[in-house]
C-alpha cells in the first residue's frame, strides 16, 4: 500500500487489518507515555489546502505518537488563483524530502493528482465531495467497538449525501464490512445518480430510523440553503433533523453518530447531541489511533509487504 | 510554368473517386490540367500520394488560437501549423481572446497575423460585446472585414430576446461576397449547468464532482431551434454532445428549420469515464458524455443530422492544467488528431468524411469558393493527402501546437495526414511542417 486515497482501493481484509492495528495503537494511548518509536526518522507533512483544525490536529497527534517529524504546510486553495499550479506546490514539498503528505483539499481528486507528482505516500484527509477515508475508518472503528462489527448492521446516513465526502467513503467502508446502508435526505441532496451504489434510499426519515443500528447524521451547510437544496432551516430540522421527538423512534440500543462539527438545532437537536447514545466524542477519540494505523501501514516496516504483520 | 505534382493517389471529393495525378500552378496556387507523361518530366516538385486519398483541405469551424492574449498557449502561427499538420487549410478562429474579438480593431489584428499563417484564418466575432450577453457587437462593421460567423462561444447567449435580435439583424446584413452570415451557438443554459465541471451522471456522482446535465445543452438547442423557426435565420449549433441534442436537431431538420450542427472528435471518441483519473486534460465544455451519447453522435454524423466535424481545438498551458479538476480550465487540443479519430472511430466512407471535414464546413464558414472542393482545374489548390491505413500513436510531445493538452496521448489511431497544400504551397510534406 503506497497511498490511501479512497476506501474503494481497500479490500475487506485491508480494512479489518487497519482496524486491528488501530486497536493496538489505542492501547498505546492508555499508557503513561503514549508514544512508540515506530516512525522515528520519518517526516510527515500536513498539507492542508482547506482549513480543518480537527482533522489536522488528529493527524498531527497520530504522527507525533509514532515519533515521526511533523511539518505543517498550510496553503490556501487560492494559491492556484495567484498563479501557482498545484504541481508547483507539491514539487516544492517533495523537494524537501518527505515520507508522507497528508492532504486536505477542497477539490475532489486533488490527492489523486498529487500522488502522481510526488514520491512520498499520500494520505487523503478529505477531498471535496469525494472521499474522507480516515473518517470512514474511525467511524467503522467506533461502530466495531460498540457492536463487535458491521456485519448485518443497518446504518442510515441522513442529510446532504451529494456534497459529502464522509458519505461517499462511509458508504464504501460500511458496505465492504458487511453493513447495510440506507440513505435519507431530500432529492436535492442526493447524488444525481446512485447507479452502482450498494444502498437503499428511504425518503421518509421516520420509516428509516425505526429499525437501524446506527443513525449517522451529516453536517448541513448553510450554503446549501442559498443554493435551493431546502427551503428553510426550520423545515430541514422538522423533516430531516434528529429532533428530540424523533429520538423516541430509534431503538434504545441504536447508536447516533456525526462527523462533526455539529450544527445543533439543525441536523441534530442540542439535547440529542448530549444523549448517551451519541458517539461524537468516541469518534473523535478513535481518530488518533486510526490515523496512527494508517501512517504506520504506509510508512512502517510492513510498508512493502502487506502480509507482514506489524 | 512552375508546377507541383501530386501523384499516385486517389482523389476523393464531391465528384467521387478517381485515380489521377494532379498538377498545381505554384504561381497562382490553382489546380491546372496535368500535362501528359510522367510527372518528373513536367513538375519541379512531386508529392507522392501512393496509397493515399487526395482530398479537399479540411475546414474547422471551431478553433481557439489564443492570440491575442494567451500566446504561451497558442499563437495564430503555431495553431495554423497544427492545423496544417492535421490536413486543415482553413480554420475559423473563435472570438474568446483577450481582448475579445468584438471590435474591428481586434478582428483586424487577427486578420493581420493570419496573413502569414500556414492555412487560411477566418475570424469569427462575438455576438455580444465582451461575450457578456448584453449588447450586440458591431456585426455589420465586422462583416465588412470578412467575418461570416458570430458566436459567444465559451458560453451560450442566455437572453432569448437578444438572440432573436441578433438573428434578425445578422440575417438582414448584406455582404459583398454574398456568403451567408451564420450565428453559431454554444448551447448551454448556464443556470442549469452552473457548478458543473463534467457530465452529470453515474460517474460524476461517484467522483464527487459537480455535473452538467445533458438537459442544460438540450434546452438551448431546443430554444434556438424555436428561434430559427421564429426568425427564419439559420443557427449553427456548436459541439453537440448529447443524444437528446442530436434528436432535436434531427427533428428540426425534418421539419425544414434552418439549423446546422457540428460535433467534435472527443465527443465521439471518449466518454465521461475518462474523468475518473481526475486529470483535467479530460475536462472540456460541453463535457465528455456517456457511451449512449457517443453512439448518438456517431449516428448523427452518419445520417447527416450533424453537418460537420469541428475540433474545438482549445490549447492550454501545462501549468493551467496542473490544477485540481474543478479549478482547471476546460478544453483540449484537436487539430492534429481530428482526421485520425474520425477515420478510426467512424464507420464512414471516405466521401462522407470529406463532406464532414471539408465540403460542408467550408460552406458554413463562407469559404466554399476556395475550400471544400471539388478538386478540379481552376480551383484553389487547398488539399490534404491522407493515408487512411497508416497507424500511429498520438504523442503529445510531437505536436506542432504550443500546448500539449491532448486527451489522446498514447492512443493508437489509424489514418495520418501526409501532405497539406495551402494555396498551392506544400505547407506539410510527409508530416513535417515546412515553415
Amino acid at each position: 500500500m503506497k497511498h490511501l486515497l479512497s476506501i474503494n482501493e481497500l479490500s475487506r481484509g485491508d480494512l479489518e487489518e487497519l482496524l486491528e492495528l488501530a486497536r493496538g495503537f489505542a492501547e498505546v494511548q492508555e499508557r503513561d507515555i503514549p508514544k512508540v518509536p515506530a516512525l522515528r526518522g520519518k517526516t510527515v507533512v500536513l498539507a492542508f489546502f482547506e482549513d480543518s483544525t480537527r482533522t489536522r490536529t488528529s493527524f498531527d497527534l497520530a504522527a507525533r505518537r509514532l515519533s515521526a517529524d511533523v511539518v505543517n504546510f498550510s496553503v490556501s486553495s487560492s494559491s492556484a488563483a495567484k498563479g501557482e499550479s498545484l504541481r508547483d506546490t507539491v514539487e516544492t514539498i517533495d523537494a524537501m524530502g518527505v515520507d508522507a503528505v497528508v492532504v486536505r483539499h477542497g477539490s475532489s481528486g486533488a490527492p489523486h493528482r498529487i500522488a502522481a507528482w510526488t514520491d512520498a505516500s499520500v494520505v487523503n484527509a478529505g477531498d471535496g465531495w469525494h472521499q474522507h477515508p480516515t473518517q470512514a475508518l474511525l467511524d467503522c472503528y467506533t461502530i466495531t467497538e460498540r457492536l463487535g462489527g458491521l456485519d448485518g448492521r443497518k446504518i442510515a446516513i441522513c442529510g446532504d449525501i451529494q456534497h459529502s465526502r464522509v458519505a461517499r467513503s462511509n458508504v464504501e467502508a460500511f458496505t465492504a464490512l458487511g453493513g447495510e446502508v440506507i440513505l435519507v435526505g431530500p432529492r436535492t441532496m442526493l447524488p444525481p445518480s446512485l447507479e452502482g451504489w450498494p444502498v437503499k434510499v428511504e425518503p421518509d426519515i421516520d420509516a428509516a430510523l425505526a429499525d437501524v443500528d446506527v443513525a449517522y447524521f451529516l453536517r448541513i451547510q448553510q450554503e446549501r440553503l442559498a443554493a435551493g437544496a431546502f427551503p428553510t432551516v426550520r423545515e430541514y430540522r422538522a423533516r430531516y433533523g434528529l429532533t428530540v421527538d424523533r429520538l423516541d423512534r430509534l431503538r434504545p440500543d441504536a447508536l447516533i453518530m456525526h462527523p462533526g462539527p455539529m450544527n445543533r438545532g439543525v441536523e441534530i437537536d442540542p439535547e440529542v447531541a448530549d444523549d448517551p447514545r451519541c458517539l461524537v466524542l468516541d469518534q473523535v477519540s478513535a481518530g488518533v489511533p486510526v490515523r496512527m494505523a494508517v501512517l504506520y501501514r504506509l510508512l512502517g516496516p510492513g510498508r512493502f509487504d502487506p502480509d507482514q504483520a506489524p | 510554368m512552375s508546377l507541383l505534382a501530386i501523384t499516385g493517389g486517389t482523389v476523393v471529393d464531391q465528384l467521387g473517386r478517381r485515380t489521377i495525378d494532379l498538377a498545381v500552378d505554384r504561381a497562382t496556387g490553382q489546380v491546372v490540367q496535368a500535362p501528359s507523361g510522367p510527372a518528373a518530366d513536367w513538375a519541379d516538385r512531386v508529392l507522392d500520394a501512393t496509397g493515399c486519398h487526395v482530398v479537399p483541405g479540411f475546414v474547422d469551424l471551431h478553433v481557439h488560437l489564443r492570440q491575442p492574449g494567451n500566446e504561451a498557449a497558442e499563437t495564430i502561427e503555431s495553431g495554423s501549423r497544427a492545423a496544417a499538420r492535421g490536413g486543415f487549410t482553413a480554420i475559423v478562429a473563435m472570438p474568446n481572446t483577450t481582448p475579445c474579438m468584438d471590435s474591428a480593431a481586434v478582428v483586424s489584428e487577427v486578420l493581420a497575423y493570419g496573413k502569414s499563417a500556414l492555412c487560411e484564418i477566418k475570424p469569427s466575432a462575438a455576438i455580444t460585446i465582451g461575450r457578456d450577453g448584453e449588447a450586440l457587437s458591431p456585426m455589420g462593421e465586422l462583416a465588412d472585414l470578412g467575418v461570416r460567423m458570430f458566436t459567444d462561444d465559451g458560453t451560450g447567449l442566455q437572453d432569448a430576446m437578444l438572440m432573436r435580435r441578433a438573428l434578425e439583424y445578422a440575417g438582414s446584413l448584406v455582404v459583398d461576397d454574398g456568403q451567408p452570415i451564420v450565428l453559431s451557438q454554444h448551447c448551454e443554459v448556464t443556470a442549469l449547468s452552473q457548478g458543473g465541471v463534467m457530465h452529470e451522471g453515474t460517474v460524476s456522482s461517484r467522483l464527487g464532482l459537480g455535473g452538467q446535465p445533458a438537459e442544460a445543452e438540450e434546452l438551448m438547442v431546443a430554444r434556438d431551434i424555436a428561434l430559427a423557426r421564429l426568425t427564419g435565420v439559420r443557427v449553427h449549433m456548436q459541439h453537440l454532445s448529447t443524444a437528446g441534442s442530436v434528436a432535436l436537431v434531427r427533428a428540426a431538420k425534418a421539419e425544414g428549420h434552418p439549423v446546422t450542427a457540428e460535433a467534435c472528435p472527443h465527443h465521439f471518441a471518449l466518454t465521461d469515464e475518462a474523468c475518473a483519473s481526475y486529470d483535467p486534460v479530460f475536462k472540456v465544455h460541453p463535457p465528455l458524455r456517456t457511451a449512449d451519447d457517443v453512439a448518438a453522435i456517431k449516428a448523427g454524423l452518419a445520417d447527416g443530422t450533424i453537418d460537420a466535424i469541428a475540433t474545438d481545438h482549445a490549447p492550454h498551458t501545462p501549468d493551467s492544467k496542473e490544477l485540481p479538476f474543478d479549478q482547471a480550465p476546460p478544453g483540449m487540443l484537436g487539430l492534429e488528431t481530428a482526421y485520425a479519430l474520425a477515420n478510426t472511430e467512424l464507420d464512414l466512407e471516405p466521401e462522407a468524411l470529406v463532406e464532414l471535414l471539408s465540403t460542408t464546413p467550408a460552406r458554413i464558414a463562407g469559404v466554399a469558393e476556395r475550400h471544400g472542393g471539388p478538386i478540379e482545374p481552376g480551383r484553389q489548390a487547398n488539399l490534404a493527402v491522407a493515408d487512411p491505413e497508416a497507424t500511429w500513436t498520438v504523442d503529445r510531445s510531437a505536436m506542432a501546437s504550443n500546448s500539449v493538452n491532448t486527451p489522446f496521448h498514447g492512443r493508437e489511431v489509424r489514418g495520418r495526414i501526409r501532405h497539406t497544400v495551402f494555396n498551392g504551397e506544400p505547407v506539410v510534406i510527409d508530416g513535417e511542417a515546412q515553415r
Side-chain angles (χ1 to χ4, degrees), chain B residues 86-155:
Chain B
F88 291 89
T89 53
I91 57 180
V92 180
M94 291 293 108
N96 62 335
T97 47
T98 311
C100 172
M101 289 154 68
D102 60 4
S103 69
V106 183
V107 168
S108 299
E109 183 185 356
V110 169
L111 282 167
Y113 283 120
K115 283 201 174 103
S116 55
L118 284 74
C119 66
E120 179 170 341
I121 306 297
K122 187 77 175 168
S124 66
I127 301 172
T128 64
I129 296 291
R131 296 167 48 250
D132 285 342
E134 286 173 9
L136 293 184
S137 69
M139 298 172 107
E141 189 180 343
L142 298 169
D144 286 344
L145 288 172
V147 172
R148 292 293 176 270
M149 178 184 282
F150 290 90
T151 177
D152 279 358
D153 179 47
T155 184

Coordinates of all heavy atoms in Angstrom, one line a residue, chain B residues 86-155:
Chain B
G86 N -2.7 18.7 -39.4 CA -3.9 18.0 -39.3 C -4.7 17.9 -40.7 O -5.8 17.3 -40.7
G87 N -4.2 18.5 -41.7 CA -4.8 18.5 -43.0 C -5.8 19.6 -43.2 O -6.6 19.6 -44.2
F88 N -5.9 20.6 -42.3 CA -6.8 21.7 -42.5 C -6.1 22.8 -43.3 O -5.0 23.2 -43.1 CB -7.2 22.3 -41.1 CG -8.0 21.3 -40.3 CD1 -7.4 20.4 -39.4 CD2 -9.4 21.4 -40.4 CE1 -8.2 19.5 -38.7 CE2 -10.2 20.5 -39.6 CZ -9.6 19.5 -38.8
T89 N -6.9 23.4 -44.2 CA -6.5 24.5 -45.0 C -7.2 25.8 -44.6 O -6.9 26.9 -45.1 CB -6.6 24.3 -46.5 OG1 -7.9 23.9 -46.8 CG2 -5.6 23.2 -46.9
A90 N -8.3 25.7 -43.8 CA -9.0 26.9 -43.4 C -9.5 26.6 -42.0 O -10.1 25.5 -41.7 CB -10.1 27.3 -44.3
I91 N -9.4 27.6 -41.1 CA -9.9 27.4 -39.7 C -10.6 28.7 -39.3 O -10.2 29.8 -39.6 CB -8.8 27.0 -38.7 CG1 -7.7 28.0 -38.6 CG2 -8.3 25.6 -39.0 CD1 -6.6 27.6 -37.7
V92 N -11.7 28.5 -38.5 CA -12.4 29.6 -38.0 C -11.9 29.9 -36.6 O -12.0 29.0 -35.7 CB -13.9 29.4 -38.0 CG1 -14.7 30.6 -37.5 CG2 -14.4 29.1 -39.5
A93 N -11.4 31.1 -36.4 CA -10.8 31.4 -35.1 C -12.0 31.9 -34.2 O -12.7 32.8 -34.5 CB -9.8 32.5 -35.2
M94 N -12.1 31.3 -33.0 CA -13.1 31.7 -32.1 C -12.7 33.1 -31.4 O -11.6 33.4 -31.3 CB -13.3 30.6 -31.0 CG -13.9 29.3 -31.5 SD -15.6 29.6 -32.0 CE -15.5 29.5 -33.8
P95 N -13.8 33.8 -31.0 CA -13.5 35.2 -30.5 C -13.1 35.3 -29.1 O -13.0 36.5 -28.6 CB -14.9 35.9 -30.8 CG -15.9 34.8 -30.6 CD -15.2 33.5 -31.0
N96 N -13.0 34.3 -28.3 CA -12.8 34.5 -26.9 C -11.3 34.7 -26.5 O -10.7 34.0 -25.7 CB -13.3 33.3 -26.0 CG -12.7 32.0 -26.4 OD1 -12.1 31.8 -27.5 ND2 -12.7 31.0 -25.4
T97 N -10.7 35.6 -27.2 CA -9.3 36.0 -27.0 C -9.4 37.1 -25.9 O -10.4 37.5 -25.5 CB -8.7 36.6 -28.3 OG1 -9.6 37.5 -28.9 CG2 -8.4 35.4 -29.3
T98 N -8.2 37.6 -25.6 CA -8.1 38.7 -24.6 C -7.2 39.9 -25.3 O -6.0 39.7 -25.4 CB -7.4 38.3 -23.3 OG1 -8.0 37.1 -22.9 CG2 -7.5 39.3 -22.2
P99 N -7.8 41.0 -25.7 CA -9.2 41.3 -25.6 C -10.0 40.4 -26.6 O -9.5 39.8 -27.5 CB -9.3 42.7 -26.0 CG -8.1 43.0 -26.9 CD -7.0 42.1 -26.3
C100 N -11.3 40.4 -26.4 CA -12.3 39.6 -27.1 C -12.4 40.2 -28.6 O -12.3 41.4 -28.8 CB -13.6 39.8 -26.4 SG -15.0 39.1 -27.2
M101 N -12.7 39.3 -29.5 CA -12.9 39.7 -30.9 C -14.3 40.2 -31.1 O -15.2 39.6 -31.6 CB -12.6 38.5 -31.8 CG -11.1 38.2 -31.9 SD -10.7 36.4 -32.3 CE -11.3 36.4 -34.0
D102 N -14.5 41.4 -30.6 CA -15.8 42.0 -30.7 C -15.7 43.4 -31.3 O -16.7 44.2 -31.3 CB -16.5 42.1 -29.3 CG -15.7 43.0 -28.3 OD1 -14.7 43.5 -28.7 OD2 -16.1 43.0 -27.1
S103 N -14.5 43.7 -31.8 CA -14.4 45.1 -32.4 C -13.5 44.9 -33.7 O -12.8 43.9 -33.9 CB -13.6 46.0 -31.5 OG -12.3 45.5 -31.3
A104 N -13.6 45.9 -34.5 CA -12.8 45.9 -35.8 C -11.4 45.9 -35.5 O -10.6 45.2 -36.2 CB -13.2 47.2 -36.6
A105 N -10.9 46.5 -34.4 CA -9.5 46.6 -34.1 C -9.0 45.2 -33.9 O -7.9 44.8 -34.4 CB -9.3 47.4 -32.9
V106 N -9.6 44.4 -33.0 CA -9.1 43.1 -32.7 C -9.2 42.1 -33.9 O -8.3 41.3 -34.2 CB -9.8 42.5 -31.4 CG1 -9.2 41.2 -31.0 CG2 -9.7 43.5 -30.3
V107 N -10.4 42.2 -34.6 CA -10.5 41.3 -35.7 C -9.5 41.6 -36.8 O -8.9 40.7 -37.4 CB -12.0 41.4 -36.3 CG1 -12.0 40.8 -37.7 CG2 -13.0 40.8 -35.3
S108 N -9.2 42.9 -36.9 CA -8.1 43.3 -37.9 C -6.8 42.8 -37.5 O -6.0 42.3 -38.3 CB -8.0 44.8 -38.0 OG -9.3 45.3 -38.5
E109 N -6.5 42.8 -36.2 CA -5.2 42.2 -35.7 C -5.1 40.8 -36.0 O -4.1 40.3 -36.5 CB -5.1 42.5 -34.2 CG -3.8 42.0 -33.6 CD -3.7 42.1 -32.1 OE1 -4.7 42.6 -31.4 OE2 -2.7 41.6 -31.5
V110 N -6.2 40.0 -35.8 CA -6.2 38.6 -36.1 C -6.0 38.4 -37.6 O -5.2 37.5 -38.0 CB -7.5 37.9 -35.6 CG1 -7.6 36.5 -36.1 CG2 -7.5 38.0 -34.1
L111 N -6.7 39.2 -38.4 CA -6.5 39.0 -39.9 C -5.1 39.3 -40.3 O -4.5 38.6 -41.1 CB -7.4 40.0 -40.6 CG -8.9 39.5 -40.6 CD1 -9.8 40.7 -41.1 CD2 -9.1 38.3 -41.6
A112 N -4.5 40.3 -39.6 CA -3.1 40.6 -40.0 C -2.1 39.5 -39.7 O -1.3 39.1 -40.5 CB -2.7 41.9 -39.2
Y113 N -2.3 38.9 -38.5 CA -1.4 37.8 -38.1 C -1.7 36.6 -39.0 O -0.8 35.8 -39.4 CB -1.7 37.4 -36.6 CG -1.0 38.2 -35.6 CD1 -1.8 38.9 -34.7 CD2 0.4 38.4 -35.6 CE1 -1.2 39.7 -33.7 CE2 1.0 39.2 -34.6 CZ 0.2 39.8 -33.7 OH 0.8 40.6 -32.7
G114 N -2.9 36.5 -39.4 CA -3.3 35.4 -40.2 C -2.7 35.3 -41.6 O -2.6 34.3 -42.2
K115 N -2.3 36.5 -42.1 CA -1.8 36.6 -43.4 C -0.6 35.7 -43.7 O -0.3 35.2 -44.8 CB -1.4 38.0 -43.8 CG -2.6 38.9 -44.1 CD -2.3 40.1 -44.9 CE -3.5 40.9 -45.3 NZ -3.8 42.1 -44.4
S116 N 0.2 35.5 -42.6 CA 1.4 34.7 -42.8 C 1.2 33.2 -42.3 O 2.2 32.5 -42.1 CB 2.6 35.3 -42.1 OG 2.3 35.6 -40.8
A117 N 0.0 32.9 -42.0 CA -0.2 31.6 -41.4 C -0.1 30.5 -42.4 O -0.1 30.7 -43.6 CB -1.6 31.6 -40.7
L118 N -0.1 29.2 -41.9 CA 0.0 28.1 -42.8 C -1.3 27.6 -43.3 O -1.4 26.5 -43.9 CB 0.8 26.9 -42.1 CG 2.3 27.1 -41.9 CD1 2.6 28.1 -40.9 CD2 2.9 25.8 -41.6
C119 N -2.4 28.3 -43.0 CA -3.7 28.0 -43.5 C -4.5 29.3 -43.5 O -4.0 30.3 -42.9 CB -4.4 26.9 -42.7 SG -4.8 27.3 -41.0
E120 N -5.7 29.2 -44.1 CA -6.5 30.5 -44.0 C -7.1 30.6 -42.6 O -7.7 29.7 -42.1 CB -7.6 30.4 -45.1 CG -8.5 31.6 -45.0 CD -9.5 31.7 -46.2 OE1 -9.3 31.0 -47.3 OE2 -10.5 32.5 -46.1
I121 N -6.9 31.8 -42.1 CA -7.5 32.1 -40.8 C -8.8 32.9 -41.0 O -8.7 34.1 -41.5 CB -6.5 32.9 -39.9 CG1 -5.2 32.2 -39.8 CG2 -7.2 33.2 -38.5 CD1 -5.2 30.9 -39.1
K122 N -9.9 32.4 -40.7 CA -11.2 33.1 -40.9 C -11.7 33.5 -39.5 O -12.1 32.6 -38.7 CB -12.1 32.1 -41.6 CG -13.5 32.7 -42.0 CD -13.3 33.5 -43.2 CE -14.7 34.0 -43.7 NZ -14.5 35.1 -44.8
P123 N -11.6 34.8 -39.2 CA -12.0 35.1 -37.9 C -13.5 35.1 -37.7 O -14.2 35.5 -38.6 CB -11.5 36.6 -37.7 CG -11.2 37.1 -39.0 CD -11.1 35.9 -40.0
S124 N -14.0 34.6 -36.6 CA -15.3 34.8 -36.2 C -15.3 36.0 -35.3 O -14.3 36.6 -35.0 CB -15.9 33.6 -35.5 OG -15.3 33.4 -34.2
A125 N -16.5 36.4 -34.8 CA -16.5 37.5 -33.9 C -17.7 37.3 -32.9 O -18.6 36.5 -33.2 CB -16.7 38.9 -34.6
A126 N -17.6 38.0 -31.8 CA -18.6 37.8 -30.7 C -19.9 38.3 -31.2 O -20.0 39.3 -31.9 CB -18.1 38.4 -29.5
I127 N -21.0 37.7 -30.7 CA -22.3 38.2 -31.0 C -22.5 39.4 -30.1 O -23.1 40.5 -30.5 CB -23.4 37.2 -30.7 CG1 -23.2 35.9 -31.5 CG2 -24.8 37.7 -30.9 CD1 -24.1 34.7 -31.1
T128 N -22.1 39.3 -28.8 CA -22.3 40.4 -27.9 C -20.9 41.0 -27.4 O -19.9 40.3 -27.4 CB -23.1 40.0 -26.7 OG1 -22.3 39.0 -25.9 CG2 -24.4 39.4 -27.1
I129 N -20.9 42.2 -27.1 CA -19.7 42.9 -26.6 C -19.2 42.2 -25.4 O -19.9 41.9 -24.4 CB -20.0 44.4 -26.2 CG1 -20.5 45.2 -27.4 CG2 -18.8 45.1 -25.6 CD1 -19.4 45.5 -28.5
G130 N -17.9 41.8 -25.5 CA -17.2 41.1 -24.4 C -17.8 39.8 -24.1 O -17.5 39.2 -23.1
R131 N -18.6 39.2 -25.0 CA -19.3 38.0 -24.9 C -20.1 38.0 -23.5 O -20.2 36.9 -22.9 CB -18.3 36.8 -24.9 CG -17.6 36.6 -26.2 CD -16.3 35.7 -26.2 NE -16.7 34.5 -25.5 CZ -16.2 34.1 -24.3 NH1 -15.4 34.9 -23.6 NH2 -16.5 33.0 -23.8
D132 N -20.5 39.2 -23.2 CA -21.2 39.3 -21.9 C -22.7 39.0 -22.0 O -23.5 39.0 -21.0 CB -21.0 40.7 -21.3 CG -19.6 40.8 -20.7 OD1 -19.0 39.8 -20.5 OD2 -19.2 42.0 -20.5
G133 N -23.2 38.9 -23.3 CA -24.6 38.5 -23.4 C -25.6 39.7 -23.2 O -26.7 39.5 -22.9
E134 N -25.0 40.9 -23.3 CA -25.9 42.1 -23.0 C -26.1 43.1 -24.2 O -27.2 43.6 -24.3 CB -25.3 42.9 -21.8 CG -25.5 42.1 -20.5 CD -24.8 42.7 -19.3 OE1 -24.3 43.8 -19.4 OE2 -24.8 42.0 -18.3
A135 N -25.1 43.3 -25.0 CA -25.3 44.3 -26.1 C -24.6 43.7 -27.3 O -23.6 43.1 -27.3 CB -24.7 45.6 -25.7
L136 N -25.3 43.9 -28.5 CA -24.8 43.4 -29.7 C -23.4 44.0 -30.1 O -23.2 45.2 -30.0 CB -25.8 43.6 -30.9 CG -27.1 42.8 -30.8 CD1 -27.9 43.0 -32.0 CD2 -26.8 41.3 -30.6
S137 N -22.5 43.2 -30.7 CA -21.3 43.7 -31.3 C -21.6 44.4 -32.6 O -22.7 44.2 -33.1 CB -20.3 42.6 -31.5 OG -20.8 41.8 -32.5
P138 N -20.7 45.2 -33.1 CA -21.0 45.9 -34.4 C -20.9 44.9 -35.5 O -19.9 44.8 -36.2 CB -19.9 47.0 -34.5 CG -18.8 46.5 -33.6 CD -19.4 45.7 -32.5
M139 N -22.0 44.1 -35.7 CA -21.9 43.0 -36.6 C -21.7 43.4 -38.1 O -21.0 42.7 -38.8 CB -23.2 42.2 -36.5 CG -23.4 41.6 -35.1 SD -25.0 40.8 -34.9 CE -24.5 39.1 -34.9
G140 N -22.3 44.5 -38.5 CA -22.2 45.0 -39.8 C -20.7 45.4 -40.1 O -20.1 45.0 -41.2
E141 N -20.1 46.1 -39.2 CA -18.8 46.6 -39.4 C -17.8 45.4 -39.4 O -16.9 45.3 -40.2 CB -18.4 47.5 -38.2 CG -17.1 48.2 -38.3 CD -16.9 49.1 -37.1 OE1 -17.9 49.4 -36.3 OE2 -15.7 49.5 -36.8
L142 N -18.1 44.4 -38.6 CA -17.2 43.2 -38.6 C -17.4 42.3 -39.8 O -16.5 41.8 -40.4 CB -17.5 42.4 -37.3 CG -17.2 43.2 -36.0 CD1 -17.8 42.4 -34.8 CD2 -15.7 43.4 -35.8
A143 N -18.7 42.3 -40.3 CA -18.9 41.5 -41.5 C -18.2 42.2 -42.7 O -17.7 41.5 -43.6 CB -20.5 41.5 -41.8
D144 N -18.1 43.5 -42.7 CA -17.4 44.2 -43.8 C -15.9 43.8 -43.8 O -15.2 43.8 -44.8 CB -17.5 45.7 -43.6 CG -18.9 46.2 -44.0 OD1 -19.6 45.4 -44.7 OD2 -19.2 47.3 -43.7
L145 N -15.4 43.4 -42.6 CA -14.0 42.9 -42.5 C -13.8 41.5 -43.0 O -12.7 40.9 -43.0 CB -13.4 43.1 -41.1 CG -13.2 44.5 -40.6 CD1 -12.8 44.5 -39.1 CD2 -12.0 45.1 -41.4
G146 N -14.9 40.8 -43.2 CA -14.9 39.4 -43.7 C -15.4 38.4 -42.7 O -15.4 37.2 -42.9
V147 N -15.9 38.9 -41.5 CA -16.4 37.9 -40.6 C -17.8 37.4 -41.1 O -18.6 38.1 -41.6 CB -16.7 38.6 -39.2 CG1 -17.4 37.7 -38.2 CG2 -15.4 39.1 -38.6
R148 N -17.9 36.1 -41.1 CA -19.1 35.4 -41.6 C -19.8 34.6 -40.5 O -20.8 34.0 -40.7 CB -18.9 34.6 -42.8 CG -18.5 35.4 -44.0 CD -19.6 36.3 -44.5 NE -19.2 37.2 -45.6 CZ -18.7 38.4 -45.5 NH1 -18.5 38.9 -44.3 NH2 -18.4 39.1 -46.5
M149 N -19.1 34.4 -39.4 CA -19.6 33.7 -38.2 C -19.6 34.5 -37.0 O -18.5 35.0 -36.6 CB -18.9 32.3 -38.0 CG -19.4 31.5 -36.9 SD -18.5 30.0 -36.6 CE -19.1 29.0 -37.9
F150 N -20.7 34.6 -36.3 CA -20.7 35.2 -35.0 C -21.1 34.2 -33.9 O -22.0 33.4 -34.1 CB -21.8 36.4 -35.0 CG -21.3 37.5 -35.9 CD1 -21.7 37.6 -37.2 CD2 -20.6 38.6 -35.4 CE1 -21.2 38.6 -38.1 CE2 -20.1 39.6 -36.2 CZ -20.5 39.6 -37.5
T151 N -20.3 34.3 -32.8 CA -20.6 33.4 -31.7 C -20.0 33.9 -30.4 O -19.0 34.6 -30.4 CB -19.9 32.0 -32.0 OG1 -20.1 31.2 -30.9 CG2 -18.4 32.2 -32.3
D152 N -20.7 33.6 -29.3 CA -20.1 34.0 -28.0 C -19.5 32.7 -27.4 O -19.4 32.6 -26.2 CB -21.3 34.5 -27.1 CG -21.6 35.9 -27.3 OD1 -20.9 36.6 -28.2 OD2 -22.5 36.5 -26.7
D153 N -19.0 31.8 -28.2 CA -18.5 30.5 -27.8 C -17.7 30.6 -26.5 O -16.9 31.5 -26.3 CB -17.6 29.9 -28.9 CG -17.1 28.6 -28.4 OD1 -17.8 27.8 -27.9 OD2 -15.9 28.4 -28.6
G154 N -17.9 29.6 -25.8 CA -17.3 29.5 -24.4 C -18.5 29.7 -23.5 O -18.5 29.1 -22.4
T155 N -19.5 30.4 -24.0 CA -20.7 30.5 -23.2 C -21.8 30.6 -24.3 O -21.6 31.1 -25.4 CB -20.7 31.7 -22.3 OG1 -21.9 31.7 -21.5 CG2 -20.6 33.0 -23.0

